[in-house]
Structure formats: C-alpha cells, structure tokens
Amino acid sequence: MADSLLEVTNLDVTYRTKRDSVQAVSNASFSIESNGYFGLVGESGCGKSTLARAVMNSLDTNGEISGGEIRYRGDPIHNLSDREYKNSVRWDEIAFIPQSAMNSLDPLTTVQNQALEIAQAHKDWSNEKTLEKLRELFDIVGLPQSRIADYPHQFSGGMKQRAIIALSLLLDPSLVIADEPTTALDVIMQDQLLKYLDELRQERDFSLLMITHDIAVVFELCDSIAVMHGGQIAETGGITDVFDEPRHPYSILLQRAFPDVRFPDRSLEQIEGTPPPLSGSVDYCTFADRCPWAEPDCRDGAPPLEPVGGDASHLTSCIRSDEMEELAASHLEGRSTGESSVQSIQGSEQ
C-alpha cells in the first residue's frame, strides 16, 4: 500500500484490570490513503475510540497495544514513547478531535493562548500568523473571530466543540482523527462542519478518520468504511461496495437499523442482545450470539478478514459471506414495504 498514509495491521489492544484482562480491539486491520476520508462505524463500546487512542498514543495507563502494528507514512508509530510521538507526530502530523471535546479546553487560559502554545511547540510561526489562522478557522466553524480571546467558560457547549475543532486544524495536519465530532452540535452546525470537511480536501492534502455510530454520516462523507463490532473489524471496503453489497450480518442489520428518507414506510431492524464481554483471549466471532444466521463454526475461532468475491478492496470477517446476500434477502422478505410503495408511486408518476 505505497500510497497509504495510515496502516493498522492485526492490531490488538488490551486493558489490564485487577480481576482480568479485556481485549478491547482484536486483530483489527485497515488503511487510509492520502487525501482519503475513512469512516469507522459501530455501536457504543465496540472499540472505536480505543482504536483511535491507540493511533494517537493516548491509551489509558492500564491499556497497551498487545499485538500488531500501526504505520504512518510507512514508519511504525505504535512503539514510540510519549515524548517521541509528541515531538514528531501529534498536532502537526496527526490531530485528534476527542469525543469529549467540550471538556478538552484548558479552563484557565484563553483559546488564543492555547493556540499559541500549540504553535510554539511545533512550528516556527509568529504570534500574528498563528492568531490569523485561528481567526480564519473560527470563521469556518461558525464562531465570531473576536471570540478567540475568550476563556472556555464564556462559551456554550456547542461553541466549545467548535473551538476544539478549530484548534485541531490549526497546524494543517495531514490526518485528523475525529471521534464523534458532531455530537454536541445542532443539525445546522453539523451540516456546516461536514460541508467544510468535504471542501477542505479539495484544497489540501488532508485525510480524515471519522469515528461515529451514525452510518449515514459515513455514507455521505467518506470514501471508505470499516464496520466494527465487539472489538473486531466486521467489514471494510469502499462506501459503494459496503452500502450496496454488505456481506457481514452486522453491516446488513446496522444499515437497516437507520431510517432512510427514500423508504419512509420501511420497518427498521433491531439488533437484539448486547456485545459479549471481551475478557481473556477473543477467539470467536463477537457477533455470533446476536447473529440470526450464526452456525457452531462461528464460535470456533475468530474469522479473518477475507476478500469478497476475490475483491481485495472489499473484506469481511464472516464465514458465510458467500451466502449472505441470499440469507439476508430471505430474512428481510416482507419487511420492504417502503421500497414497494415508493417504486409504485414513482411508476405512477412516470
């Protein structure tokens, strides 16, 4: 993958507790190309944020990368010390918009002083250049430029979210990891932010790892996607492939669990049950207990990511992927009244 900016290969992340170990991420692999927008999607607790923090070298003290590797521009970064990562990667190469972005600002100093500290640590910029870039970014994320001199407590929750996004983009990083960046924004600001991110890639060599539970956002914004469940990558590939031809049960059911404006009468799927506890070694498909098409073999070893129909760009970890289209069609038969009604309306209008 010569043009890959970020490569995650067979990554395991383990948390040590007093009672046991928890394998929060198991054998995860994906890559992000230069100027590529990649979505990592899955329900809460599936390991998305842990994977992002592993890339950012910011795991909790009881967490560790216990297997696999992470490469940035071809160089391994998973074994860097915190100081090495901070000096060579963080902020000016890879920036992070955390899930709790509203609480990430230093309450004791102004936003502009926080920007100056970041720039002074990583760039040979004048204060004037730094503040001018911050003003531009404030304008882009919908904040008055005059507010750069304010303290965080003077902002509302949504304004804090936008301010931390502006700080994350300050040094023109090559990769931004955004962990649920639109959570605290209203729908208008969400739309503005997503449009900005889409426009930004046309102007700079800029890649994005968008982490979210909202598969619709990923389908709208990103080029490629990885669907995650129970610490495992269930399916990964181009947006069109995964949207039109999903081959993992979780991908299929997750997609059908979200409303589609094209089919307002379609019944939504429910994914019954909860993800399994990931204590000890995870040597099984973590979706098996929730899957309507599971077989005994699904619990006999963790299935590897394999090409769908020989397509190396579309991978799934389901041992029944070759049958999945037929199985899903049979399972969902009779639940597609929305498609039928819309098609009949369109037919009558023509």
Side-chain angles (χ1 to χ4, degrees), residues 20 56 119 132 144 154 157 184 224 236 257 264 275 278 308 344 348:
D20 205 346
M56 285 299 300
E132 182 58 31
Q154 296 175 278
S224 302
T236 183
L278 302 177
V308 174
S344 63
S348 64

mmCIF file of all heavy atoms in Angstrom, residues 20 56 119 132 144 154 157 184 224 236 257 264 275 278 308 344 348:
data_model
loop_
_atom_site.group_PDB
_atom_site.id
_atom_site.type_symbol
_atom_site.label_atom_id
_atom_site.label_comp_id
_atom_site.label_asym_id
_atom_site.label_seq_id
_atom_site.Cartn_x
_atom_site.Cartn_y
_atom_site.Cartn_z
ATOM 1 N N ASP A 20 -9.087 -9.203 35.630
ATOM 2 C CA ASP A 20 -8.888 -9.889 34.360
ATOM 3 C C ASP A 20 -8.353 -8.891 33.344
ATOM 4 O O ASP A 20 -8.183 -7.708 33.643
ATOM 5 C CB ASP A 20 -10.222 -10.478 33.867
ATOM 6 C CG ASP A 20 -10.032 -11.671 32.948
ATOM 7 O OD1 ASP A 20 -8.895 -11.871 32.477
ATOM 8 O OD2 ASP A 20 -11.017 -12.390 32.716
ATOM 9 N N MET A 56 -3.334 7.452 18.377
ATOM 10 C CA MET A 56 -2.870 8.724 18.927
ATOM 11 C C MET A 56 -1.893 8.558 20.088
ATOM 12 O O MET A 56 -1.475 9.531 20.693
ATOM 13 C CB MET A 56 -4.068 9.547 19.417
ATOM 14 C CG MET A 56 -4.889 10.179 18.313
ATOM 15 S SD MET A 56 -3.958 11.335 17.297
ATOM 16 C CE MET A 56 -3.427 12.542 18.506
ATOM 17 N N ALA A 119 1.242 26.130 18.638
ATOM 18 C CA ALA A 119 2.094 26.544 17.517
ATOM 19 C C ALA A 119 3.548 26.701 17.948
ATOM 20 O O ALA A 119 4.474 26.312 17.217
ATOM 21 C CB ALA A 119 1.564 27.852 16.932
ATOM 22 N N GLU A 132 -3.957 34.736 13.209
ATOM 23 C CA GLU A 132 -4.694 34.936 11.967
ATOM 24 C C GLU A 132 -5.301 33.615 11.482
ATOM 25 O O GLU A 132 -6.453 33.566 11.045
ATOM 26 C CB GLU A 132 -3.771 35.515 10.896
ATOM 27 C CG GLU A 132 -4.474 35.793 9.563
ATOM 28 C CD GLU A 132 -5.648 36.752 9.689
ATOM 29 O OE1 GLU A 132 -5.616 37.640 10.580
ATOM 30 O OE2 GLU A 132 -6.609 36.605 8.911
ATOM 31 N N PRO A 144 -17.582 33.733 16.002
ATOM 32 C CA PRO A 144 -17.082 35.076 15.717
ATOM 33 C C PRO A 144 -15.572 35.152 15.951
ATOM 34 O O PRO A 144 -15.061 34.632 16.948
ATOM 35 C CB PRO A 144 -17.836 35.960 16.727
ATOM 36 C CG PRO A 144 -19.048 35.168 17.099
ATOM 37 C CD PRO A 144 -18.632 33.737 17.043
ATOM 38 N N GLN A 154 -16.701 31.016 28.851
ATOM 39 C CA GLN A 154 -17.543 32.004 28.191
ATOM 40 C C GLN A 154 -18.254 31.433 26.958
ATOM 41 O O GLN A 154 -19.012 32.151 26.306
ATOM 42 C CB GLN A 154 -16.699 33.220 27.800
ATOM 43 C CG GLN A 154 -16.118 33.976 29.000
ATOM 44 C CD GLN A 154 -15.180 35.098 28.589
ATOM 45 O OE1 GLN A 154 -14.011 34.866 28.299
ATOM 46 N NE2 GLN A 154 -15.693 36.310 28.561
ATOM 47 N N GLY A 157 -21.711 24.869 25.262
ATOM 48 C CA GLY A 157 -21.156 23.556 24.967
ATOM 49 C C GLY A 157 -20.841 23.370 23.492
ATOM 50 O O GLY A 157 -19.773 22.880 23.115
ATOM 51 N N ALA A 184 -22.195 17.304 19.910
ATOM 52 C CA ALA A 184 -22.802 18.402 20.667
ATOM 53 C C ALA A 184 -23.318 19.533 19.775
ATOM 54 O O ALA A 184 -23.717 20.583 20.275
ATOM 55 C CB ALA A 184 -21.790 18.964 21.659
ATOM 56 N N SER A 224 -14.276 5.410 2.144
ATOM 57 C CA SER A 224 -14.142 4.026 2.584
ATOM 58 C C SER A 224 -14.668 3.909 4.001
ATOM 59 O O SER A 224 -14.815 4.909 4.711
ATOM 60 C CB SER A 224 -12.678 3.573 2.529
ATOM 61 O OG SER A 224 -12.158 3.714 1.217
ATOM 62 N N THR A 236 -14.911 -4.132 5.755
ATOM 63 C CA THR A 236 -14.268 -2.897 5.335
ATOM 64 C C THR A 236 -14.198 -2.865 3.821
ATOM 65 O O THR A 236 -14.108 -3.904 3.163
ATOM 66 C CB THR A 236 -12.863 -2.750 5.952
ATOM 67 O OG1 THR A 236 -12.295 -1.489 5.572
ATOM 68 C CG2 THR A 236 -11.932 -3.868 5.504
ATOM 69 N N ALA A 257 -31.005 -0.605 10.401
ATOM 70 C CA ALA A 257 -31.493 -0.072 11.673
ATOM 71 C C ALA A 257 -31.667 1.438 11.627
ATOM 72 O O ALA A 257 -32.231 2.024 12.555
ATOM 73 C CB ALA A 257 -30.543 -0.451 12.808
ATOM 74 N N PRO A 264 -39.787 5.716 3.585
ATOM 75 C CA PRO A 264 -40.331 6.131 4.887
ATOM 76 C C PRO A 264 -41.189 5.068 5.574
ATOM 77 O O PRO A 264 -41.360 5.117 6.787
ATOM 78 C CB PRO A 264 -41.159 7.372 4.534
ATOM 79 C CG PRO A 264 -41.481 7.210 3.080
ATOM 80 C CD PRO A 264 -40.304 6.527 2.476
ATOM 81 N N PRO A 275 -23.247 -6.801 22.997
ATOM 82 C CA PRO A 275 -21.931 -7.365 22.695
ATOM 83 C C PRO A 275 -21.422 -8.200 23.858
ATOM 84 O O PRO A 275 -21.725 -7.923 25.025
ATOM 85 C CB PRO A 275 -21.064 -6.116 22.481
ATOM 86 C CG PRO A 275 -22.024 -5.042 22.107
ATOM 87 C CD PRO A 275 -23.272 -5.335 22.887
ATOM 88 N N LEU A 278 -15.414 -9.058 26.667
ATOM 89 C CA LEU A 278 -14.214 -9.388 25.894
ATOM 90 C C LEU A 278 -13.048 -9.739 26.805
ATOM 91 O O LEU A 278 -11.908 -9.361 26.552
ATOM 92 C CB LEU A 278 -13.852 -8.210 24.985
ATOM 93 C CG LEU A 278 -14.949 -7.787 24.005
ATOM 94 C CD1 LEU A 278 -14.515 -6.573 23.192
ATOM 95 C CD2 LEU A 278 -15.330 -8.942 23.083
ATOM 96 N N VAL A 308 -14.147 -10.310 -0.572
ATOM 97 C CA VAL A 308 -15.496 -10.653 -1.010
ATOM 98 C C VAL A 308 -15.452 -10.879 -2.517
ATOM 99 O O VAL A 308 -15.144 -9.965 -3.275
ATOM 100 C CB VAL A 308 -16.495 -9.532 -0.659
ATOM 101 C CG1 VAL A 308 -17.866 -9.831 -1.259
ATOM 102 C CG2 VAL A 308 -16.601 -9.355 0.851
ATOM 103 N N SER A 344 -43.886 1.967 -6.558
ATOM 104 C CA SER A 344 -45.194 2.062 -7.195
ATOM 105 C C SER A 344 -45.598 3.512 -7.412
ATOM 106 O O SER A 344 -46.204 3.849 -8.437
ATOM 107 C CB SER A 344 -46.259 1.351 -6.349
ATOM 108 O OG SER A 344 -46.393 1.985 -5.085
ATOM 109 N N SER A 348 -46.269 5.307 -10.999
ATOM 110 C CA SER A 348 -47.499 6.000 -11.348
ATOM 111 C C SER A 348 -47.259 7.415 -11.817
ATOM 112 O O SER A 348 -48.053 7.989 -12.554
ATOM 113 C CB SER A 348 -48.453 6.016 -10.131
ATOM 114 O OG SER A 348 -47.896 6.762 -9.079
#
